[in-house]
Amino acid sequence: MKKMKALLILFMSTAMILAACGRPNNDNNSNGNSEGDTYKIRIAYLPSEEQSTHLAAKSLKERLENESSGRLQIELYPNGSLYGSDREAIEAVQLNNVEMTIPALSPLSSFNKKFMVFDLPFLFKNHDDAYRTLDSDLGQELLDDLQKDGLKGLVYAENGFRHISNNEGPIESSADLKGLKMRTMENPVHTATFKKLGANASPFAFGELYTALQQGTYDAMESPISLYYTNKFYEVQKYLTITGHFYTPTILLMNNKFYEELPDDLQQLVVEAAVAFKDEQRQLAQKQDTEWREELKQSGMTVNELSPEQIDEFRKALAPIYDQFKEEIGEDVVNRTIDMNQ
């Protein structure tokens, strides 16, 4: 009898422990459907606290927490505090080690080659062309295509038009790039583009780039205005040429399984808040680019702009890049994108 009683107590204790382990709590993500469940969302990204991505992310956090009545709990990790590169952050979201990230779009091509279409040089002439294309049916199709890669693509935001800096002199023609040790993003189109122009181009981790430039490991780099300013590259780069050779969006990514296991009302809230994030961030990014370009001049950078004729010379020199990558990206995707921007 005593033995039966002991076994009964052991069984009941084990059942209680298992039940407790299955309950949602405020310290771990819960994927149940109860309206009382809470969900923690960690968002990791490289930009600093003063850059438009972080400022808009703060608004995103406030909106998601307030409109979910605290069911969504958002933690922001700017300045590469969790992951030192966009690629690492994307992989972490893919593996559900962190729920969200806001990387530059270019490294995403390592996960889905269709996104290389937006890396083709001189594809967009201005912001309106870029926004129209990214927010089109084609842009949405590419976001949806990420689900097979374990990612939920929410919206495209902005990193901006990219420009070339170096320590040798102003860039006035493609010939001025020949022989320069050039840092590129981890993206085959970017690297091929600068090699086509004669640069000794190779990818390198962004978090270590300042030191590499300071030590002369690289002569030159290319980046949006915002990153030149917030990362103080003006201290280690003398000449900045406004080329606009690439337009780089950012993208708001969530682990797809995490998204699908959210209750329907929270899924809808995430989608709506993402659109608000996109609109605010793009506006802030353009404002900061205008202000910080002047700050770069005040900080000692020599800034020059290319004329339309000089831009055409670059564009003609880089025309073979489109043919080089058309098959790998997908001919239909490339042709549709070009047709929207002729």
Side-chain angles (χ1 to χ4, degrees):
M1 183 70 179
K2 289 182 179 179
K3 186 174 181 180
M4 289 291 295
K5 185 176 181 181
L7 287 171
L8 180 60
I9 292 172
L10 178 62
F11 173 79
M12 292 177 65
S13 299
T14 303
M16 290 173 67
I17 291 170
L18 290 172
C21 290
R23 288 194 198 112
N25 58 61
N26 291 335
D27 296 324
N28 297 288
N29 286 324
S30 165
N31 295 318
N33 293 317
S34 169
E35 291 187 0
D37 290 351
T38 59
Y39 303 82
K40 181 167 65 178
I41 299 177
R42 295 159 294 179
I43 313 178
Y45 43 93
L46 295 185
S48 68
E49 289 89 341
E50 59 185 320
Q51 203 251 16
S52 57
T53 294
H54 178 68
L55 298 178
K58 289 172 64 178
S59 298
L60 177 68
K61 167 183 167 70
E62 182 178 358
R63 178 166 183 160
L64 289 175
E65 290 181 340
N66 288 344
E67 296 190 14
S68 70
S69 299
R71 293 162 65 202
L72 294 176
Q73 300 174 352
I74 315 302
E75 297 178 0
L76 302 179
Y77 294 92
N79 210 32
S81 56
L82 285 188
Y83 303 100
S85 72
D86 284 331
R87 180 187 175 90
E88 290 175 346
I90 295 168
E91 287 175 344
V93 172
Q94 195 177 42
L95 296 170
N96 206 19
N97 293 334
V98 66
E99 290 73 37
M100 294 185 75
T101 187
I102 316 171
L105 193 64
S106 297
L108 193 61
S109 63
S110 298
F111 302 82
N112 188 312
K113 292 184 182 299
K114 293 178 182 178
F115 283 88
M116 286 195 294
V117 70
F118 298 127
D119 292 306
L120 293 170
F122 296 103
L123 178 64
F124 302 124
K125 295 183 177 65
N126 51 52
H127 288 90
D128 289 341
D129 286 351
Y131 297 161
R132 187 187 67 252
T133 305
L134 293 166
D135 298 338
S136 69
D137 290 342
L138 173 60
Q140 185 60 52
E141 287 172 25
L142 294 182
L143 290 178
D144 293 342
D145 198 55
L146 287 170
Q147 292 180 23
K148 65 180 176 55
D149 303 303
L151 299 166
K152 172 67 176 177
L154 289 162
V155 290
Y156 302 98
E158 178 156 296
N159 216 343
F161 281 97
R162 304 180 74 86
H163 312 290
I164 299 171
S165 69
N166 76 101
N167 283 320
E168 300 298 319
I171 302 297
E172 297 179 340
S173 72
S174 60
D176 293 330
L177 288 166
K178 288 183 179 178
L180 285 181
K181 293 177 289 184
M182 181 92 188
R183 182 267 179 182
T184 67
M185 297 184 74
E186 192 174 351
N187 179 280
V189 178
H190 284 210
T191 304
T193 293
F194 285 102
K195 285 185 176 180
K196 184 68 178 176
L197 297 174
N200 182 10
S202 61
F204 190 76
F206 183 81
E208 302 170 26
L209 179 56
Y210 183 98
T211 301
L213 291 165
Q214 189 176 47
Q215 295 176 347
T217 306
Y218 286 91
D219 303 314
M221 60 172 284
E222 52 87 51
S223 169
I225 293 292
S226 61
L227 297 185
Y228 279 113
Y229 180 77
T230 57
N231 291 274
K232 299 185 178 181
F233 287 124
Y234 53 82
E235 296 178 345
V236 290
Q237 292 279 270
K238 174 64 176 174
Y239 300 96
L240 174 64
T241 301
I242 305 301
T243 52
H245 51 278
F246 299 127
Y247 174 84
T248 306
T250 56
I251 184 170
L252 188 61
L253 292 175
M254 177 176 272
N255 177 271
N256 192 59
K257 185 174 185 293
F258 179 88
Y259 173 82
E260 290 183 343
E261 291 179 346
L262 288 173
D264 290 346
D265 63 322
L266 294 185
Q267 287 185 5
Q268 183 64 28
L269 176 56
V270 166
V271 169
E272 292 173 355
V275 172
F277 165 83
K278 173 197 70 175
D279 293 339
E280 178 183 0
Q281 194 274 336
R282 284 177 176 177
Q283 185 177 9
L284 283 170
Q286 287 200 48
K287 181 174 182 291
Q288 288 184 339
D289 271 4
T290 300
E291 295 173 352
W292 289 346
R293 180 170 164 178
E294 293 305 311
E295 290 290 336
L296 292 175
K297 293 179 183 178
Q298 295 299 317
S299 299
M301 287 194 93
T302 299
V303 180
N304 70 295
E305 290 194 52
L306 297 181
S307 68
E309 291 77 20
Q310 289 172 315
I311 291 289
D312 282 343
E313 187 265 326
F314 273 92
R315 185 177 285 113
K316 289 175 182 177
L318 293 171
I321 296 294
Y322 282 67
D323 292 330
Q324 180 179 340
F325 287 94
K326 180 175 284 190
E327 183 176 349
E328 187 174 0
I329 296 169
E331 188 169 349
D332 177 65
V333 172
V334 173
N335 290 338
R336 289 170 66 189
T337 306
I338 293 173
D339 288 344
M340 279 189 271
N341 291 280
Q342 286 185 336

